[in-house]
Amino acid sequence: MRPTLLFLSSLFLVLGFFSIGRGSGATEPPPAGAARAIFAGGCFWCMEPPFESLNGVYAVNSGYTGGRTEHPTYEEVSSGSSGHTEAVEVLYDATKVKYETLLDIFWKNIDPLAKDYQFCDHGSQYRSGIYPLDAAQQAAAEASKKALQAAGRFQKAIATEIVPAGPFWQAEEYHQDYYIKNPIRYKFYRNGCGRDARLKELWGASAGH
């Protein structure tokens, strides 16, 4: 369990009756030709909303990547023992949204200076990363990281890893669209973790966009 959730678990039990069922997402599965992108930005609950709100995105799945074992569970990943990081798989229409646009959204929703943690979640299982699926994505990811470092916004080196994609293991169903299923718990976690405050500090008015 994440540190913030551990301290707030008793309150969450009280607020649990406010939870709602899954209220959005595609009513039909994405087409077979949908493009894919994989990103890790700490808590996967928090990485779904910015991509799901984008026109041209079919679906965003929470899951795990970059580890040593097959079919990892949340408990295994959150313990740090499997080598995976929490990640999201974005399924999108490449004729409507460019991979470079996804990269821009990714950067502005993470702390790129954090090594093996994001916000209040610490450990390599919360490391940030871009996981290209082909040579074009690899080149775009490398170029975006280089441009961000050269822009002079940050004095420290960018810690986000760029590693060719390995298997993406979809997380348990209760993690999918968590911010919709459990809006109050999600908001309490996000605020308690200091995510938005740190994003504003890093990115100013463009944070989260």
Side-chain angles (χ1 to χ4, degrees):
M1 182 177 287
R2 298 185 174 88
T4 304
L5 293 181
L6 179 62
F7 290 115
L8 298 176
S9 58
S10 60
L11 179 58
F12 286 170
L13 291 175
V14 175
L15 296 176
F17 67 92
F18 286 108
S19 300
I20 63 175
R22 191 168 190 168
S24 75
T27 56
E28 298 179 1
R36 297 173 65 230
I38 300 174
F39 304 104
C43 171
F44 45 26
W45 300 343
C46 299
M47 293 300 289
E48 285 190 359
F51 291 115
E52 287 193 337
S53 65
L54 188 65
N55 182 40
V57 169
Y58 296 116
V60 182
N61 300 313
S62 286
Y64 317 111
T65 196
R68 298 180 294 272
T69 60
E70 296 185 348
H71 305 289
T73 65
Y74 177 69
E75 289 71 22
E76 291 169 338
V77 174
S78 62
S79 73
S81 63
S82 72
H84 295 85
T85 184
E86 289 194 10
V88 291
E89 174 191 50
V90 182
L91 303 177
Y92 64 102
D93 183 342
T95 68
K96 293 182 178 180
V97 58
K98 296 180 180 295
Y99 183 70
E100 288 79 2
T101 300
L102 300 181
L103 286 169
D104 186 58
I105 290 173
F106 165 75
W107 289 119
K108 292 174 181 175
N109 281 277
I110 70 162
D111 180 348
L113 309 180
K115 174 68 174 177
D116 287 338
Y117 75 94
Q118 284 289 296
F119 312 102
C120 68
D121 295 319
H122 288 247
S124 64
Q125 65 270 36
Y126 299 111
R127 67 188 183 274
S128 64
I130 304 170
Y131 304 96
L133 289 139
D134 56 35
Q137 287 191 357
Q138 181 79 31
E142 295 284 1
S144 70
K145 181 176 179 178
K146 183 177 180 180
L148 183 59
Q149 191 74 74
R153 175 182 286 270
F154 306 122
Q155 300 305 308
K156 293 175 60 179
I158 293 174
T160 301
E161 66 180 14
I162 299 177
V163 179
F168 177 86
W169 305 100
Q170 191 157 314
E172 296 81 350
E173 177 59 26
Y174 71 89
H175 286 301
Q176 309 301 327
D177 280 342
Y178 190 89
Y179 73 103
I180 295 171
K181 295 174 178 174
N182 299 282
I184 293 181
R185 294 184 185 189
Y186 170 75
K187 290 177 182 177
F188 214 99
Y189 160 72
R190 186 175 180 117
N191 291 337
C193 203
R195 190 177 189 108
D196 291 318
R198 178 58 174 161
L199 288 177
K200 185 175 182 180
E201 180 184 346
L202 289 164
W203 299 104
S206 65
H209 296 294

